[in-house]
Amino acid sequence: MAKRRRKLSPELEKKISLAKKQIELITAIIHDIYEDDIQEEYKSAFLPVMSAYLSLEELYKEVGFNDDTTNLHELYLTNLDKFKSEYEL
């Protein structure tokens, strides 16, 4: 049986690309924190953001644009906003 083609979304692809850049920037900032205890706290707090992004990227590659990828992007944005409001970078 032939494999179904993925439905793509240039808009979501741009958002995923922007999310990747944000993840890289915040990760670099966290790695620049000198105090180990504080760095670990930031890493732990950033895990939900990272997890949502990685899930979004993987799901989009596998199935393309659908309600699940849209919802994962919203979850990523919510987690990122929460992290930024609770932790000063």
Side-chain angles (χ1 to χ4, degrees):
M1 180 175 219
K3 186 177 179 181
R4 288 184 53 194
R5 291 182 55 160
R6 295 182 305 135
K7 182 178 177 184
L8 303 178
S9 168
E11 183 179 333
L12 184 59
E13 287 179 23
K14 288 178 187 175
K15 291 177 181 178
I16 292 171
S17 178
L18 176 62
K20 181 178 182 176
K21 290 176 184 175
Q22 289 174 325
I23 292 287
E24 290 172 351
L25 175 64
I26 294 171
T27 301
I29 291 170
I30 291 172
H31 284 272
D32 285 344
I33 296 172
Y34 290 110
E35 295 184 40
D36 290 338
D37 294 344
I38 295 173
Q39 186 183 66
E40 289 303 317
E41 180 182 343
Y42 273 66
K43 283 181 182 179
S44 295
F46 194 61
L47 277 177
V49 179
M50 182 71 85
S51 176
Y53 165 73
L54 292 173
S55 297
L56 169 62
E57 184 180 47
E58 185 67 27
L59 186 63
Y60 186 76
K61 284 179 183 176
E62 287 180 13
V63 298
F65 178 73
N66 63 18
D67 289 340
D68 292 336
T69 53
T70 302
N71 291 338
L72 271 174
H73 184 257
E74 289 300 319
L75 177 63
Y76 162 77
L77 292 175
T78 301
N79 289 346
L80 181 62
D81 288 342
K82 182 179 178 189
F83 174 79
K84 285 182 175 181
S85 70
E86 293 178 4
Y87 291 87
E88 186 178 317
L89 294 177

